[in-house]
Amino acid sequence: MGESFDVVTKCVSFTLTEQFMEKFVDPGNHNSGIDLLRTYLWRCQFLLPFVSLGLMCFGALIGLCACICRSLYPTIATGILHLLAGLCTLGSVSCYVAGIELLHQKLELPDNVSGEFGWSFCLACVSAPLQFMASALFIWAAHTNRKEYTLMKAYRVA
């Protein structure tokens, strides 16, 4: 007679060291070998948002210095930092999706679980293009103001 198993699903919080543990070829089977692709995708999707946040904060600090110094060159640096932060956010979202798809190839979802992305995933998908737009605006503003600044300097000399 066949045994029936009740699948219990619950949210579990991981410690920082558990976040960086190796992922195995067969999830749950420690003798199956390490799946390097899933391991590093998981680590990247965990670390890249912090890198993006650091770049954004550093860009804000440089932008503040640009306002204080009334210089245009830090504005270009702020735009480049926003561009790098957007790439980190986009990379993090991509690593998450690829890791989840690789996991779903190995494990099937239980019947009572829906495999949908949540609101935080949608927020991350929206934030990357917004960071790219902020980057474009900073670089455009620095480029436009540099032309006007050069024209003002020419009028002063004349």
Side-chain angles (χ1 to χ4, degrees):
M1 190 166 172
E3 295 180 32
S4 66
F5 294 101
D6 291 329
V7 177
V8 177
T9 56
K10 62 179 180 176
C11 291
V12 178
S13 106
F14 292 108
T15 64
L16 189 60
T17 55
E18 290 173 336
Q19 291 288 344
F20 292 101
M21 290 176 55
E22 289 90 7
K23 307 297 180 218
F24 297 101
V25 174
D26 292 326
N29 183 2
H30 299 282
N31 297 323
S32 63
I34 297 171
D35 189 351
L36 290 177
L37 181 60
R38 280 192 30 234
T39 297
Y40 286 106
L41 282 172
W42 185 266
R43 290 176 182 174
C44 284
Q45 68 100 16
F46 184 76
L47 290 175
L48 283 175
F50 292 112
V51 173
S52 177
L53 180 64
L55 288 169
M56 293 289 289
C57 290
F58 189 57
L61 185 64
I62 290 177
L64 183 63
C65 291
C67 290
I68 293 170
C69 299
R70 297 181 187 259
S71 176
L72 300 175
Y73 294 109
T75 309
I76 294 172
T78 302
I80 291 170
L81 288 172
H82 275 72
L83 177 69
L84 293 173
L87 288 173
C88 286
T89 302
L90 189 62
S92 179
V93 168
S94 300
C95 287
Y96 176 74
V97 169
I100 291 296
E101 288 301 317
L102 287 172
L103 183 64
H104 285 186
Q105 288 175 2
K106 298 188 184 295
L107 295 175
E108 291 185 26
L109 286 175
D111 292 335
N112 60 346
V113 174
S114 63
E116 299 173 357
F117 294 114
W119 63 270
S120 58
F121 177 81
C122 296
L123 191 61
C125 288
V126 169
S127 71
L130 290 175
Q131 288 172 326
F132 291 139
M133 284 189 267
S135 171
L137 286 173
F138 272 113
I139 294 171
W140 173 77
H143 182 70
T144 303
N145 285 337
R146 185 174 60 205
K147 285 181 182 177
E148 291 175 8
Y149 184 72
T150 307
L151 289 175
M152 284 177 22
K153 206 173 182 183
Y155 287 131
R156 284 186 191 162
V157 171

